[in-house]
Amino acid sequence: MRIKIALAALAVAPLLTQCGGGDLARVVPSDKVTTSTRDAAQAAALISEYRKARGLGPVTVDTTLNDAAEYQARAVAEAGKLSHGAFASRMETFKIGGHSAENLSAGSDNVGGAIARWKGSPGHNSNLLLPQARRIGLARADSPQHGYRHYWALVLAQ
């Protein structure tokens, strides 16, 4: 069963808002956006430490989840706003089964900042602490001259 946890984070920061649905219209050309999954191992370590302190198991990096996160990070960077779009359909496209969730953020210039924002948001924090989560994928998309400049996508799954 797939779980899509709604991630409304209106009380945390304006940079965590706009997690609406729907298709994303591109406002930033693809060649102006770069993506990377190089922070995924650091994210897994930080999230595992956080989960362990709360009696939950660790998470490991999964390349398929990295690909799914990278796809969405690019999409939101090109749109200049956060949206989960067709999350369930995207998980099917990447053949991600079972429980899964996604966190998005914008504005943080490092992975620690993005994770701190997610910890401070009830919906995002619930995803970090999803008991079924065993694997993660994390990507950052940079759009230096547009929008929030740094966009983050985290996918968690069984």
Side-chain angles (χ1 to χ4, degrees):
M1 174 181 203
R2 286 189 173 65
I3 295 177
K4 178 181 176 186
I5 299 176
L7 301 175
L10 299 174
V12 175
L15 301 179
L16 287 175
T17 62
Q18 303 177 20
C19 286
D23 294 328
L24 293 173
R26 183 180 302 163
V27 297
V28 177
S30 290
D31 65 343
K32 302 293 184 197
V33 174
T34 60
T35 61
S36 173
T37 60
R38 71 178 169 266
D39 296 312
Q42 182 182 2
L46 292 169
I47 293 166
S48 291
E49 181 181 322
Y50 184 62
R51 290 170 56 86
K52 182 179 177 183
R54 284 146 187 83
L56 297 168
V59 294
T60 60
V61 177
D62 180 277
T63 57
T64 300
L65 296 181
N66 272 352
D67 292 344
E70 191 168 27
Y71 176 91
Q72 194 61 11
R74 174 174 288 283
V76 296
E78 289 176 358
K81 68 178 184 177
L82 301 179
S83 173
H84 296 285
F87 175 76
S89 175
R90 193 163 6 97
M91 294 301 99
E92 287 179 22
T93 299
F94 284 94
K95 300 184 182 346
I96 299 167
H99 294 286
S100 59
E102 177 177 78
N103 284 358
L104 302 174
S105 184
S108 296
D109 63 358
N110 62 64
V111 68
I115 292 173
R117 288 178 189 270
W118 292 328
K119 287 178 182 179
S121 163
H124 295 95
N125 190 57
S126 291
N127 287 346
L128 293 175
L129 301 176
L130 185 67
Q132 298 87 349
R134 299 290 179 267
R135 303 173 293 136
I136 67 147
L138 178 106
R140 171 181 167 162
D142 293 314
S143 176
Q145 304 301 318
H146 305 282
Y148 296 114
R149 299 184 311 165
H150 310 294
Y151 297 82
W152 296 89
L154 171 71
V155 177
L156 303 104
Q158 284 181 280

